[in-house]
Every structure is written in C-alpha cells, then in structure tokens.
Amino acid sequence: MRVIAGERKGHALKAVPGNNTRPTTDKVKESLFSIIGPFFDGDVVLDLFAGSGGLGIEALSRGAERAVFIDQAQAAIKTIHLNLESCHFTDRAEVYRNEAERALKLLHKNEWKFDLVFLDPPYKKQQLEKLLLQLEKLALVSENGRIICEHDKEAIMPDTVGNFVKIKAVSYGITVLSIFEFQEA
C-alpha cells in the first residue's frame, strides 16, 4: 500500500497486522479518487472503519485540511498513528478507538461536519444504510458532502437513503464503491 498522489505521493503505508483488516487496494483507491476529484481544498474527512488509515491519508495528501480516523481495533489504531507520523500528518488528524455508532454520536456532540466520509466496514458486518441514516440524523455531513461506501458486490445499495442520493457505483471484482451525495431536502 502506498499514497497514490499529492503531497506524499509514493509514500509506503503499513498494513494492519493479521487477517482481520481488508485494505483498499491501490487500484481501487486510485480509481476512487479519480471519480470523486483528484484533489481537495480544505475538505474535512471522516475515515470510519479506518483500518490502516489509507483512504483518509490519501485525502490529506491530496489537500484535505483535516481528517478524523475511527476504528475499533487497537492494532488498527496503532497502525494509523504510525502511518500518520511517517507521512507527517499528525497535526491534521485525530484518531479515536471506538465503535462506529458511538463514535458518530460523539462527533455530533463535538459539532463536527464532514465534506467527505469513507465507510468501509467489514463485509460481513455491513449496515451501510443504517450508518447513512445516522450520519443524516446527526447532521454530520455538509451540504453536497459525499459518502463513499465500499461494500461486497452481494450488498446492493438503493439509489437513495434519506437525503443521500447515489451518484455513482463502480465494481472492482468483489468490491463495489457506491458514492452518495448529501442533498438538503
């Protein structure tokens, strides 16, 4: 795994030790960022189920202002910290070890608002529609903010979930990226 483009292009990233984390491949990451816009200007990013932190770090390298990384596994949190330090992004990032739904409530309490959200939960435990509705209920996504749901091809995402409208879905083998945009009612 590596940073594909931007400020830290080519920088190698550590993977989370063990077999419990499925990292987003460089090919999928490269394609994703070509779809959502190759570079950012001041965006605030949430990397939920962050694993190694590769997606949030890629966004920081491409110009995102801040990123919040959340994962439940201690090994993932340690890996995220190592990757942020090696990329010199610690001053632009916050890392929390927490369960996803509890973390979203805390982010709401602290008045966070995100322009870009990465949702890449373990394929066997996906509740993407529920998470999208919670993001909407807690007002965590800015108007026209985008959510990228990475899921197994067996999980079919609807065209709309609350005020989130699917603007694109792309398949890569068993992986599907469903990209939603938040549109105020």
PDB file of all heavy atoms in Angstrom, residues 59-73:
ATOM      1  N   ALA A  59      -6.583  11.311   1.191  1.00  0.00           N
ATOM      2  CA  ALA A  59      -7.300  12.589   1.103  1.00  0.00           C
ATOM      3  C   ALA A  59      -6.448  13.734   1.655  1.00  0.00           C
ATOM      4  O   ALA A  59      -6.401  14.821   1.068  1.00  0.00           O
ATOM      5  CB  ALA A  59      -8.640  12.502   1.838  1.00  0.00           C
ATOM      6  N   LEU A  60      -5.754  13.497   2.766  1.00  0.00           N
ATOM      7  CA  LEU A  60      -4.863  14.533   3.320  1.00  0.00           C
ATOM      8  C   LEU A  60      -3.753  14.860   2.326  1.00  0.00           C
ATOM      9  O   LEU A  60      -3.416  16.032   2.119  1.00  0.00           O
ATOM     10  CB  LEU A  60      -4.260  14.068   4.653  1.00  0.00           C
ATOM     11  CG  LEU A  60      -5.203  14.039   5.843  1.00  0.00           C
ATOM     12  CD1 LEU A  60      -4.540  13.333   7.034  1.00  0.00           C
ATOM     13  CD2 LEU A  60      -5.643  15.447   6.247  1.00  0.00           C
ATOM     14  N   SER A  61      -3.171  13.851   1.714  1.00  0.00           N
ATOM     15  CA  SER A  61      -2.099  14.067   0.742  1.00  0.00           C
ATOM     16  C   SER A  61      -2.588  14.891  -0.444  1.00  0.00           C
ATOM     17  O   SER A  61      -1.829  15.653  -1.037  1.00  0.00           O
ATOM     18  CB  SER A  61      -1.561  12.720   0.255  1.00  0.00           C
ATOM     19  OG  SER A  61      -0.495  12.904  -0.653  1.00  0.00           O
ATOM     20  N   ARG A  62      -3.872  14.759  -0.754  1.00  0.00           N
ATOM     21  CA  ARG A  62      -4.457  15.454  -1.903  1.00  0.00           C
ATOM     22  C   ARG A  62      -5.097  16.783  -1.533  1.00  0.00           C
ATOM     23  O   ARG A  62      -5.829  17.360  -2.328  1.00  0.00           O
ATOM     24  CB  ARG A  62      -5.487  14.546  -2.575  1.00  0.00           C
ATOM     25  CG  ARG A  62      -4.860  13.325  -3.234  1.00  0.00           C
ATOM     26  CD  ARG A  62      -5.932  12.339  -3.665  1.00  0.00           C
ATOM     27  NE  ARG A  62      -5.391  11.129  -4.245  1.00  0.00           N
ATOM     28  CZ  ARG A  62      -5.457  10.825  -5.536  1.00  0.00           C
ATOM     29  NH1 ARG A  62      -6.034  11.626  -6.395  1.00  0.00           N
ATOM     30  NH2 ARG A  62      -4.951   9.692  -5.976  1.00  0.00           N
ATOM     31  N   GLY A  63      -4.841  17.289  -0.316  1.00  0.00           N
ATOM     32  CA  GLY A  63      -5.263  18.640   0.021  1.00  0.00           C
ATOM     33  C   GLY A  63      -6.367  18.783   1.044  1.00  0.00           C
ATOM     34  O   GLY A  63      -6.760  19.909   1.368  1.00  0.00           O
ATOM     35  N   ALA A  64      -6.902  17.688   1.569  1.00  0.00           N
ATOM     36  CA  ALA A  64      -7.896  17.815   2.644  1.00  0.00           C
ATOM     37  C   ALA A  64      -7.242  18.509   3.835  1.00  0.00           C
ATOM     38  O   ALA A  64      -6.056  18.305   4.112  1.00  0.00           O
ATOM     39  CB  ALA A  64      -8.443  16.456   3.046  1.00  0.00           C
ATOM     40  N   GLU A  65      -8.011  19.337   4.510  1.00  0.00           N
ATOM     41  CA  GLU A  65      -7.471  20.114   5.628  1.00  0.00           C
ATOM     42  C   GLU A  65      -7.300  19.285   6.891  1.00  0.00           C
ATOM     43  O   GLU A  65      -6.290  19.370   7.578  1.00  0.00           O
ATOM     44  CB  GLU A  65      -8.413  21.291   5.922  1.00  0.00           C
ATOM     45  CG  GLU A  65      -7.914  22.217   7.011  1.00  0.00           C
ATOM     46  CD  GLU A  65      -8.868  23.377   7.222  1.00  0.00           C
ATOM     47  OE1 GLU A  65      -9.408  23.894   6.232  1.00  0.00           O
ATOM     48  OE2 GLU A  65      -9.072  23.757   8.383  1.00  0.00           O
ATOM     49  N   ARG A  66      -8.333  18.475   7.223  1.00  0.00           N
ATOM     50  CA  ARG A  66      -8.316  17.678   8.449  1.00  0.00           C
ATOM     51  C   ARG A  66      -8.960  16.331   8.185  1.00  0.00           C
ATOM     52  O   ARG A  66      -9.812  16.207   7.318  1.00  0.00           O
ATOM     53  CB  ARG A  66      -9.089  18.364   9.585  1.00  0.00           C
ATOM     54  CG  ARG A  66      -8.455  19.671  10.016  1.00  0.00           C
ATOM     55  CD  ARG A  66      -8.772  20.093  11.431  1.00  0.00           C
ATOM     56  NE  ARG A  66      -8.527  19.140  12.494  1.00  0.00           N
ATOM     57  CZ  ARG A  66      -7.335  18.805  12.993  1.00  0.00           C
ATOM     58  NH1 ARG A  66      -6.252  19.313  12.485  1.00  0.00           N
ATOM     59  NH2 ARG A  66      -7.226  17.961  13.995  1.00  0.00           N
ATOM     60  N   ALA A  67      -8.578  15.351   8.977  1.00  0.00           N
ATOM     61  CA  ALA A  67      -9.196  14.029   8.880  1.00  0.00           C
ATOM     62  C   ALA A  67      -9.357  13.436  10.271  1.00  0.00           C
ATOM     63  O   ALA A  67      -8.498  13.610  11.136  1.00  0.00           O
ATOM     64  CB  ALA A  67      -8.366  13.097   8.007  1.00  0.00           C
ATOM     65  N   VAL A  68     -10.478  12.768  10.460  1.00  0.00           N
ATOM     66  CA  VAL A  68     -10.750  12.023  11.689  1.00  0.00           C
ATOM     67  C   VAL A  68     -10.765  10.545  11.310  1.00  0.00           C
ATOM     68  O   VAL A  68     -11.447  10.151  10.360  1.00  0.00           O
ATOM     69  CB  VAL A  68     -12.103  12.432  12.306  1.00  0.00           C
ATOM     70  CG1 VAL A  68     -12.421  11.562  13.522  1.00  0.00           C
ATOM     71  CG2 VAL A  68     -12.087  13.911  12.699  1.00  0.00           C
ATOM     72  N   PHE A  69      -9.996   9.764  12.053  1.00  0.00           N
ATOM     73  CA  PHE A  69      -9.876   8.327  11.808  1.00  0.00           C
ATOM     74  C   PHE A  69     -10.483   7.587  12.992  1.00  0.00           C
ATOM     75  O   PHE A  69     -10.128   7.863  14.141  1.00  0.00           O
ATOM     76  CB  PHE A  69      -8.404   7.925  11.674  1.00  0.00           C
ATOM     77  CG  PHE A  69      -7.704   8.579  10.521  1.00  0.00           C
ATOM     78  CD1 PHE A  69      -7.155   9.851  10.652  1.00  0.00           C
ATOM     79  CD2 PHE A  69      -7.581   7.928   9.305  1.00  0.00           C
ATOM     80  CE1 PHE A  69      -6.506  10.458   9.589  1.00  0.00           C
ATOM     81  CE2 PHE A  69      -6.927   8.531   8.242  1.00  0.00           C
ATOM     82  CZ  PHE A  69      -6.389   9.798   8.371  1.00  0.00           C
ATOM     83  N   ILE A  70     -11.368   6.632  12.701  1.00  0.00           N
ATOM     84  CA  ILE A  70     -12.008   5.861  13.762  1.00  0.00           C
ATOM     85  C   ILE A  70     -11.936   4.389  13.411  1.00  0.00           C
ATOM     86  O   ILE A  70     -12.248   3.985  12.292  1.00  0.00           O
ATOM     87  CB  ILE A  70     -13.473   6.294  13.954  1.00  0.00           C
ATOM     88  CG1 ILE A  70     -13.510   7.749  14.412  1.00  0.00           C
ATOM     89  CG2 ILE A  70     -14.184   5.382  14.954  1.00  0.00           C
ATOM     90  CD1 ILE A  70     -14.859   8.383  14.413  1.00  0.00           C
ATOM     91  N   ASP A  71     -11.531   3.593  14.384  1.00  0.00           N
ATOM     92  CA  ASP A  71     -11.560   2.145  14.240  1.00  0.00           C
ATOM     93  C   ASP A  71     -11.714   1.554  15.637  1.00  0.00           C
ATOM     94  O   ASP A  71     -11.355   2.183  16.634  1.00  0.00           O
ATOM     95  CB  ASP A  71     -10.292   1.608  13.570  1.00  0.00           C
ATOM     96  CG  ASP A  71     -10.524   0.271  12.899  1.00  0.00           C
ATOM     97  OD1 ASP A  71     -10.684  -0.745  13.622  1.00  0.00           O
ATOM     98  OD2 ASP A  71     -10.578   0.234  11.657  1.00  0.00           O
ATOM     99  N   GLN A  72     -12.240   0.346  15.688  1.00  0.00           N
ATOM    100  CA  GLN A  72     -12.479  -0.317  16.963  1.00  0.00           C
ATOM    101  C   GLN A  72     -11.278  -1.139  17.420  1.00  0.00           C
ATOM    102  O   GLN A  72     -11.101  -1.378  18.598  1.00  0.00           O
ATOM    103  CB  GLN A  72     -13.711  -1.210  16.821  1.00  0.00           C
ATOM    104  CG  GLN A  72     -14.328  -1.633  18.118  1.00  0.00           C
ATOM    105  CD  GLN A  72     -15.690  -2.273  17.906  1.00  0.00           C
ATOM    106  OE1 GLN A  72     -16.209  -2.335  16.801  1.00  0.00           O
ATOM    107  NE2 GLN A  72     -16.266  -2.750  18.978  1.00  0.00           N
ATOM    108  N   ALA A  73     -10.440  -1.551  16.479  1.00  0.00           N
ATOM    109  CA  ALA A  73      -9.330  -2.454  16.787  1.00  0.00           C
ATOM    110  C   ALA A  73      -8.079  -1.695  17.224  1.00  0.00           C
ATOM    111  O   ALA A  73      -7.653  -0.751  16.551  1.00  0.00           O
ATOM    112  CB  ALA A  73      -9.009  -3.319  15.571  1.00  0.00           C
TER     113      ALA A  73
END
